[in-house]
Amino acid sequence: MSTLSVPPVLTSPRDDAIQLYRAFKGLGCDTAAVVNILSHRDVTQRSFIQHEYKTMYSEDLLKRLKSELRGKLETAVLLWMLDPAERDATVIKQAFSSGVTNPYAATEVICSRTPSQIQLIKQNYHSKFGVLLEQDIAVLTYGDHKELLLAYLSTHRHEGPEVDREMALKDAKTLFKAGEKKLGTDEKKFIRIFSERSRAQLAAISSAYHDIYGGSLKKAVKSETSGEFEHGLLTILKCSQNPAKYFAKVLHQAMKGLGTNDTTVIRVIVTRTEIDMHYIKAEYMRKFKKSLNDAVHSETSGHYQTFLLSLLGPSH
């Protein structure tokens, strides 16, 4: 579901390509024009614009954008121009290839996506980078974190709303015995259940856990695990219940206190704009009593700010 809050676009992809070419010509780039066009086009339109640009000017639009834009704006626009699966694959690859690896970002993307999204990410990763995603994960992560990601990437999970209550009770008891009840933690049982159960089923397990033991499964994960393994389990669990609330919290965390984690802000806004941004904005307002637009406005500036706010759409 697209959540780009803009009036219908009346210009054709060909007209947009011409306007972009004009914005690049001459001394300096008309960045405002570039931002205005691209931030108000949906995924299909952006694809058509790239095709038209290549046809008319025998030049790759992404390469031109890379040479014309700078810094955070460049990062955001280049990610925005990709289709969702290629974008996710790129985020994961960048998380492992930059000077400082960022397993947090790769874990967030993998553990928050649906099984059908994961299949497309894996296909794009292989065709774009010439290596299987699972091969990179096996080499670049370790321990329980690695086992969780590999299991989550390879296991087929149901995507429907159906729930097996009896199995939920059984799994809740298994997780209690594997964690809070014993000395140490049986991580393999957490990995198996969290990677094999559907979102609806995991939400039912969480509910059953609370009904039987009075505590929350989320708190059990926090007390029994740590580091990237904990982050992966919590991402899977939170996204099984309310993905929008999860991403609202990620954005708040990235912008609170001194400084802003722009990598996270860009990643979340660009990847969720055409999926569930309406819901994320509502959750942000409900939890933090401030609009996401206001938060982004106070933490950013210039064309970068304009671009992100255009993706977010009106604050109401």
Side-chain angles (χ1 to χ4, degrees), residues 93 122-133 135-136:
K93 187 68 173 175
K122 283 159 68 171
Q123 289 166 18
N124 271 270
Y125 197 94
H126 185 245
S127 61
K128 192 175 172 79
F129 304 115
V131 62
L132 294 173
L133 175 54
Q135 287 175 308
D136 268 356

Side-chain angles (χ1 to χ4, degrees), residues 91-270:
V91 168
I92 295 167
K93 187 68 173 175
Q94 286 173 348
F96 287 126
S97 12
S98 50
V100 182
T101 58
N102 184 5
Y104 186 95
T107 302
E108 176 200 283
V109 169
I110 292 168
C111 295
S112 65
R113 299 315 191 245
T114 64
S116 50
Q117 287 170 334
I118 285 173
Q119 286 309 311
L120 290 172
I121 292 167
K122 283 159 68 171
Q123 289 166 18
N124 271 270
Y125 197 94
H126 185 245
S127 61
K128 192 175 172 79
F129 304 115
V131 62
L132 294 173
L133 175 54
E134 294 91 332
Q135 287 175 308
D136 268 356
I137 295 294
V139 172
L140 298 164
T141 60
Y142 58 90
D144 296 318
H145 178 226
K146 173 172 82 174
E147 298 308 321
L148 175 66
L149 293 184
L150 289 176
Y152 204 71
L153 285 168
S154 62
T155 309
H156 175 75
R157 282 176 299 284
H158 184 59
E159 289 194 46
E162 301 80 12
V163 164
D164 182 332
R165 298 286 169 198
E166 274 185 45
M167 186 187 260
L169 288 168
K170 190 177 159 207
D171 283 343
K173 288 172 183 173
T174 299
L175 289 171
F176 182 72
K177 287 176 191 165
E180 292 189 293
K181 192 180 179 184
K182 70 184 302 245
L183 268 173
T185 308
D186 185 346
E187 291 87 358
K188 282 188 171 56
K189 293 223 168 47
F190 276 85
I191 291 168
R192 179 177 62 79
I193 290 170
F194 275 64
S195 65
E196 290 180 3
R197 304 296 179 253
S198 70
R199 283 187 170 184
Q201 190 65 26
L202 202 54
I205 293 167
S206 182
S207 178
Y209 195 97
H210 183 266
D211 291 344
I212 303 169
Y213 304 111
S216 80
L217 181 54
K218 186 172 79 175
K219 281 184 181 164
V221 168
K222 283 182 175 177
S223 66
E224 294 295 321
T225 62
S226 62
E228 285 302 327
F229 180 49
E230 176 193 354
H231 174 227
L233 291 173
L234 287 175
T235 301
I236 294 167
L237 183 59
K238 290 174 182 178
C239 288
S240 75
Q241 296 162 326
N242 189 339
K245 183 178 175 184
Y246 169 81
F247 284 110
K249 284 185 175 177
V250 170
L251 284 168
H252 179 72
Q253 198 71 30
M255 293 187 282
K256 74 174 190 179
L258 279 171
T260 301
N261 184 337
D262 288 290
T263 305
T264 298
V265 172
I266 291 167
R267 180 180 70 248
V268 175
I269 291 178
V270 169

